[in-house]
Amino acid sequence: MSASFQYKPRFTDIRVKPPRPDEEQEPAEDVLRLKPGEKPCNWADCTRPATARAPKSREQLNEFYNFCQVHAGQYNKSWNFYAGMNEGQIRAAQENEAMTGGRPTWQMKAGPQTREAAAFAAKFGTANNSGAGSWRDSFGLFGRRVNADAPVQNDPHHAMGRLERTALADLGLEPGADKAAIKARYHEMLKRFHPDTNGGDRGAEAKLQSVIKAWKTLKKAGHA
């Protein structure tokens, strides 16, 4: 190549040139430095950003520590919700968790001294037998029954459901039948329609199945 040759690039020269001595070189970015909006990990001597939360204790479930993923896993391994509780307290806490999910509950019925009860009494009166502005609460749905000492009369029509009343009808009994009458009628009809005791009549097999089904229904409901 001749000494008179001069390099002339057709495009912009993109070769990296070394910095001049008078230029200050920017420091390398610290990858462990917290970015704006990030919280530090609460673990001792940890400089990583926090990406997970963990409750502080059983009594402080709404207060949290901020941990990185590594220390959140270590904290969870040592976490014991039932620490310091005896066996009875643990069982009660587990039952409460199963019933309500550990959330607080409130009684839906208003007490006699509440503002709602006073407003109801002002509008409808009180639950008693007679008098102006009174009403009768025979079933005790809104307070104490009118006569709390009187025994409650169980109406068999209300105590039995539709399936139980249908089962009694299949046995030819009324809803007021007691356990002894139900059992006696079942054995009577079982003997009447069973193929081994009715001379081999196979036509009564469907009736026998309905009798057995009715007996099982009443027995399961506690009426037999």
Side-chain angles (χ1 to χ4, degrees), residues 24-152:
E24 294 183 0
Q25 189 173 3
E26 296 182 359
E29 182 181 1
D30 186 5
V31 294
L32 298 179
R33 185 173 55 186
L34 295 177
K35 297 180 176 60
E38 290 183 337
K39 296 181 180 180
C41 178
N42 294 143
W43 200 272
D45 300 330
C46 181
T47 58
R48 298 187 184 94
T51 57
R53 298 194 309 172
K56 292 186 176 181
S57 65
R58 184 176 65 246
E59 292 78 14
Q60 297 173 299
L61 294 178
N62 294 326
E63 299 182 13
F64 303 93
Y65 291 116
N66 296 304
F67 292 126
C68 62
Q69 290 294 334
V70 176
H71 292 131
Q74 295 182 14
Y75 183 82
N76 289 337
K77 288 181 180 179
S78 61
W79 169 265
N80 183 9
F81 181 83
Y82 302 110
M85 300 174 65
N86 56 37
E87 185 177 354
Q89 292 172 334
I90 293 176
R91 186 181 301 108
Q94 291 174 344
E95 292 176 355
N96 182 44
E97 180 72 21
M99 292 293 295
T100 65
R103 295 175 174 84
T105 58
W106 296 269
Q107 187 177 9
M108 297 182 63
K109 177 182 175 182
Q113 305 299 328
T114 60
R115 182 173 56 186
E116 291 80 2
F120 186 88
K123 185 175 182 179
F124 299 102
T126 57
N128 50 43
N129 289 323
S130 61
S134 63
W135 52 278
R136 184 180 181 87
D137 184 16
S138 302
F139 295 98
L141 298 177
F142 301 97
R144 190 174 60 87
R145 289 197 304 272
V146 175
N147 189 1
D149 298 330
V152 178

Side-chain angles (χ1 to χ4, degrees), residues 141-173:
L141 298 177
F142 301 97
R144 190 174 60 87
R145 289 197 304 272
V146 175
N147 189 1
D149 298 330
V152 178
Q153 300 295 331
N154 292 325
D155 188 353
H157 291 276
H158 292 284
M160 289 187 176
R162 181 178 59 85
L163 292 177
E164 289 79 9
R165 291 195 296 270
T166 303
L168 284 176
D170 291 339
L171 296 178
L173 296 173

